[in-house]
Amino acid sequence: MSQWREQWSEQEWVTLRFAPVWVLSALAGRVRFDEDERGAFWDAVTDAALRSAGPGRELLGTAAAERRWLFDEFELDGRPIVSGLLSVTRLLERMAVETRDDVRATVLRVGEGVARARGHFGRRMTLEDEQTLLLVHQLLRTAPETTSNNPLNSPAAI
């Protein structure tokens, strides 16, 4: 177990581990998934893990290690999608910038992979899935990131 993993309580780690599943849930619009959705999810997890060398890869690795039970645990968790993603965001706020960026990008890569699988010929996302992922991306932005990029906080006159 790495030092990065050790800084989280068991409940916090469960929340982080569920992050890509909440993205899948946002795309599918439900918490139960059929075999095709699960297959697309695991393909996207593999692809995203290969593209990350940091904590995001470790996060997906532990999710994959719990592959047999992950979706059952997710259903039992009971948090709505937005509440779950906001719980993840609160944990992202406690991470170093590089770690936070890697974890968030890795989770979003899983969503992009699933969205492509659901889209045109398995290569492009539908407009609806693109919009859903934009919303998920906004939900995963920390308060300081949101504040620093808010035009209402600009010294320029509006």
Side-chain angles (χ1 to χ4, degrees):
M1 189 178 331
S2 76
Q3 284 184 321
W4 184 77
R5 163 65 178 94
E6 291 173 357
Q7 70 181 324
W8 307 105
S9 72
E10 190 57 38
Q11 185 57 39
E12 290 168 335
W13 190 249
V14 167
T15 296
L16 288 169
R17 198 178 59 192
F18 285 162
V21 187
W22 273 308
V23 177
L24 169 64
S25 189
L27 290 166
R30 58 188 180 284
V31 297
R32 279 195 166 188
F33 312 106
D34 63 33
E35 287 304 311
D36 289 335
E37 290 164 329
R38 289 178 184 211
F41 175 81
W42 290 118
D43 289 347
V45 164
T46 300
D47 183 58
L50 291 172
R51 297 166 88 199
S52 173
R57 183 181 195 143
E58 182 179 349
L59 178 67
L60 295 181
T62 58
E66 299 290 329
R67 184 178 184 143
R68 185 172 182 190
W69 308 109
L70 184 68
F71 291 113
D72 293 334
E73 290 176 17
F74 179 75
E75 285 180 43
L76 292 173
D77 182 77
R79 283 180 274 185
I81 297 165
V82 173
S83 297
L85 289 170
L86 290 176
S87 295
V88 172
T89 302
R90 298 302 162 254
L91 297 175
L92 290 173
E93 288 175 346
R94 294 176 31 203
M95 296 178 191
V97 173
E98 304 82 31
T99 301
R100 177 182 61 224
D101 291 346
D102 179 64
V103 170
R104 182 175 36 221
T106 301
V107 168
L108 290 170
R109 276 189 206 113
V110 172
E112 291 166 3
V114 170
R116 275 193 305 280
R118 290 168 38 96
H120 307 290
F121 304 105
R123 297 189 174 273
R124 288 182 303 206
M125 296 180 222
T126 64
L127 180 58
E128 181 181 70
D129 283 352
E130 280 185 55
Q131 292 171 338
T132 299
L133 286 175
L134 284 172
L135 177 59
V136 167
H137 179 72
Q138 289 301 314
L139 287 170
L140 291 176
R141 290 186 54 178
T142 63
E145 291 171 319
T146 303
T147 302
S148 69
N149 195 21
N150 187 335
L152 296 177
N153 293 330
S154 171
I158 297 179

